[in-house]
Amino acid sequence: MTEKPGEKANIPALSSIVQSIPPSGIRRFFDIAASMKDVISLGVGEPDFVTPWTVREAAIYSLEKGQTNYTSNYGLLELRKLISAHLAKLYNVEYNPDNEVLVTVGVSEGMDLAMRALLNPQDEVLVPEPCYVSYRPCVMLAGAVPVAVPTNQETRFTPTIAQLEKLCTSRTKAILLGYPSNPTGSVMSRQELTDIVALAQRRNLFLVSDEIYDRLTYDGEHCCVASIPGARERTVTLNGFSKAYAMTGWRLGYACAPAEILHAMMKIHSYTILCAPITAQKAAIEALKTAEPIVKDMMQEYNRRRRYIVKGLNAIGLTCHLPEGAFYAFPSITSTGLSSTHFAERLLFEEQVAVVPGDAFGQSGEGHVRCSYATSLEKIEAALIRMSRFVEKIKLESSGPEKTAKPVSSNRIA
Ligand SMILES: Cc1ncc(COP(=O)(O)O)c(C=O)c1O
């Protein structure tokens, strides 16, 4: 039967899992900010640098040579060997390039593969929050249940063993770690991670460790979870080229795990993706061979901005710990009396500065906003001036005889 014009077709219901997943709170803000003029964005989570020239050139050259074919499902062996050597050099952790390294379409794909390979329906995964927006949905899309482990400023946004222990049930299958953290910039020490590994051994859990910001660790050494004795056999290490090499648009990452786990991930990858794009793989080979000095330069620049933005935020009364990694500051906005969403909305509409409300990263992010400093120092400086004006205005509103603050309707950003 065909419908009449204007009549809605009768189609089956969409996946209930997909329908139960809320849209990303980050996207909403991007879309609105993109439609406005003169916005300074501290919203984006990607480097403002362009991919190093030698890397782009290698990709162009590979195209010129007509290298436009599929690669092995695992990815180019040359790249896997380089990834394996890179991790051995940095963290003293050994992965066999033949069957323990899989080249993926970003950490995004690696995370999805890990969840689908490790989890059965109704399994539970402990997810310290606030955390990157895709963690919960990836667990849910695998039919499993994310269990939030709320963290706060007092514990440097890292979970305690007591907390994790308390939330473990007979259904708990894995702990998902993402340090250095997006959005808090927190890192976990080797000792803290060692305690988590011991817990995973005691409870027989997998560990999935998203280490995409490993190269953006400022004050100490990054600890690769798999390098901790006893961790490797139960850990999936996820990493990629997006952040350290400013290669977000190339969509390239990698997953490393013991052969049996990696093989399960590869099975899904071979049926759904087939292989990561060859041009991006050629670029990544060059990145690992030659871009190290540029990675260090970018890191130094982020470090300069990190100190600047944190000082500025604290000076205007938005208490902010010094993030130890990644490129996000996560100040508290509770002194303004506004909710995270209300703060971010008003700041965007009244001062044209885009930040992301902390609750986009889990409920325990409420009371904070995420400010990315992957943008120029000049823009950060200008954003801080606008934010200072905004905070002063809020103070006046709440202390003045007339309350001029007009609440923005909660569905203004839908
Ligand atoms: C913590 C974290 N993991 C994963 C990703 C996605 O990375 P990729 O570009 O490699 O898919 C991001 C991107 O912002 C991130 O912040």
Side-chain angles (χ1 to χ4, degrees), residues 45 105-108 132 135 182 210 212-213 242-243 251-252 328:
V105 179
V107 167
S108 303
Y132 180 50
Y135 294 171
N182 171 7
D210 173 358
I212 195 166
Y213 293 103
S242 289
K243 313 291 172 170
R251 309 305 307 123
L252 210 71
Y328 309 102

Side-chain angles (χ1 to χ4, degrees), residues 127-148:
V127 186
E129 287 186 355
C131 68
Y132 180 50
V133 290
S134 86
Y135 294 171
R136 285 180 75 86
C138 279
V139 174
M140 290 165 78
L141 286 168
V145 182
V147 176

Side-chain angles (χ1 to χ4, degrees), residues 158-224:
T158 57
T160 64
I161 290 296
Q163 257 186 315
L164 293 166
E165 193 79 74
K166 205 165 157 203
L167 289 167
C168 271
T169 70
S170 56
R171 290 207 175 133
T172 310
K173 185 76 165 289
I175 305 176
L176 204 170
L177 298 167
Y179 297 93
S181 155
N182 171 7
T184 66
S186 295
V187 306
M188 290 191 80
S189 68
R190 175 167 279 271
Q191 186 53 55
E192 287 168 324
L193 290 168
T194 302
D195 293 343
I196 291 185
V197 170
L199 170 72
Q201 286 175 310
R202 260 195 324 277
R203 294 276 188 165
N204 194 21
L205 308 175
F206 287 119
L207 294 168
V208 177
S209 185
D210 173 358
E211 301 184 18
I212 195 166
Y213 293 103
D214 65 335
R215 306 307 309 283
L216 296 175
T217 303
Y218 302 100
D219 301 320
E221 302 261 296
H222 171 74
C223 173
C224 172

